[in-house]
Each structure stands twice: as C-alpha cells, then as structure tokens.
C-alpha cells in the first residue's frame, strides 16, 4: 500500500520505536511470490492483520512519547515518577490516538483502536504480575484487585475526557479534566 511520509523533521514527535510491525509486514509482502505465497494463503496480509500491526506500532509510539523524561523532570514541575503516573501518561497518549481514530470510518479504525487499548491493558497486567522496577510481582488475586481498580479509574477518566471533547468548549473542558 501507499504510505505517506512527512518531509519536515519532527524531532519531538517522531521517535524511533525500534521495530515496526507494519514495516515487517510490508517487507514480507514484498518477498518473491514463491516465498510469500504461504503467508498470503494463511491471511497474514489481511486488512485486520494490517490494522493489528498498525495498532502495535501506534501503541509503541504512545509508550515512547509517554516515556519522555520531561513529563517526570522535577525541575520542570513534572509528575511524580512512579508506576501509576507513568501508566496515566501512557493511557492519555493512547486515549488521544483513540479519540482521533474515532473520526475515521469504523471499518478502517476499529481493530486499531481496540487492539491498541488492549495492548495497554496487557502491558499493565504483565507489569503487575512480573513486578515493577524489579519488585516482586503480584499473585492473581492481588493483581485482579489492582487491575480492577486501575480499570475503574481509567474508564472514569476516559469518560470525562470524552465528555470534555464533546462539549461546547473542548479546550477549556479538557484543561479542567487534566488539571
């Protein structure tokens, strides 16, 4: 497919995520027919797989943006550097992408939106079960309780942001919701 690329350098916006699933999918599709045929026959290049690849890349971009040290720099009035604040920052970046994708046709964005948010929650589950910052991980019951609390708080925040975006003065309402 055709990919548009920006010609202007955007050092703060464009961050290297390392490995791009979309790029790998395109590389595989460009293989000679006899090498790519099994992949084509098994549906690797389907629209839903392309959207899933885009969701993976978008999630990784959100993580890269949310990991910017400036968000947590005390000298700049940054957030407290702890797991919950880092989760909120990642979640906000994912929500921004999610809200933007709602403007696209559902058939072009549904899988991207749902997969991207699912990756956020899968990572939270891994973080809590394996341990954060080399601390011991949580057992299933404790993990379930913390995950439920995080999801409850997150969905309330997302609803507030959605309502602010739909208001008569979204800029002011978003500012109130974030501050």
């Amino acid at each position: 497919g055709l990919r548009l690329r920006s010609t202007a350098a955007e050092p703060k916006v464009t961050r290297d995520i390392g490995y791009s699933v979309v790029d790998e999918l395109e590389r595989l599709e460009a293989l000679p027919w006899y090498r790519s045929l099994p992949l084509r026959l098994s549906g690797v290049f389907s629209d839903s797989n392309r959207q899933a690849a885009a969701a993976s890349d978008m999630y990784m971009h959100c993580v890269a943006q949310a990991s910017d040290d400036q968000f947590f720099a005390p000298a700049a009035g940054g957030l407290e550097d702890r797991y919950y604040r880092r989760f909120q920052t990642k979640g906000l970046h994912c929500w921004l992408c999610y809200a933007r994708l709602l403007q696209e046709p559902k058939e072009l964005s549904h899988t991207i939106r749902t997969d991207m948010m699912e990756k956020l929650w899968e990572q939270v589950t891994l973080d809590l079960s394996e341990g954060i910052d080399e601390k011991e991980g949580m057992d299933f019951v404790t993990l379930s309780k913390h995950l439920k609390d995080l999801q409850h708080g997150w969905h309330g925040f997302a609803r507030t942001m959605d309502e602010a975006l739909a208001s008569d003065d979204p800029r002011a309402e978003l500012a109130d919701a974030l501050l």
Side-chain angles (χ1 to χ4, degrees), residues 23-86:
D23 288 347
E24 181 62 13
L25 201 56
E26 289 177 352
R27 186 191 71 76
L28 291 171
E29 190 173 28
L31 290 173
W33 71 268
Y34 56 88
R35 293 190 65 202
S36 66
L37 184 63
L39 299 172
R40 290 179 194 286
L41 292 175
S42 63
V44 168
F45 306 118
S46 69
D47 286 342
S48 65
N49 276 352
R50 289 180 192 283
Q51 286 188 27
S56 293
D57 287 356
M58 186 172 287
Y59 173 73
M60 292 309 297
H61 280 287
C62 289
V63 168
Q65 289 296 318
S67 299
D68 190 325
D69 290 336
Q70 291 183 28
F71 286 121
F72 306 98
L79 300 168
E80 184 180 358
D81 190 4
R82 52 178 237 218
Y83 181 77
Y84 184 68
R85 294 291 181 238
R86 289 195 174 272

Side-chain angles (χ1 to χ4, degrees), residues 61-159:
H61 280 287
C62 289
V63 168
Q65 289 296 318
S67 299
D68 190 325
D69 290 336
Q70 291 183 28
F71 286 121
F72 306 98
L79 300 168
E80 184 180 358
D81 190 4
R82 52 178 237 218
Y83 181 77
Y84 184 68
R85 294 291 181 238
R86 289 195 174 272
F87 160 73
Q88 287 177 315
T89 307
K90 280 188 262 188
L92 176 60
H93 280 81
C94 288
W95 177 85
L96 290 167
C97 292
Y98 186 94
R100 169 58 186 86
L101 286 170
L102 285 173
Q103 299 170 14
E104 299 299 323
K106 186 175 182 175
E107 64 274 3
L108 298 177
S109 66
H110 178 74
T111 300
I112 298 172
R113 287 182 284 123
T114 56
D115 282 11
M116 179 185 58
M117 296 309 292
E118 190 62 34
K119 288 182 186 333
L120 175 68
W121 290 110
E122 287 172 2
Q123 187 60 55
V124 169
T125 303
L126 284 172
D127 290 346
L128 296 178
S129 66
E130 293 176 355
I132 305 161
D133 300 328
E134 300 174 10
K135 294 178 184 170
E136 188 175 326
M138 297 178 184
D139 62 71
F140 179 75
V141 174
T142 306
L143 169 69
S144 297
K145 179 191 176 307
H146 282 284
L147 194 56
K148 181 180 176 182
D149 290 346
L150 271 174
Q151 288 176 337
H152 182 74
W154 166 254
H155 290 295
F157 171 73
R159 184 176 307 128

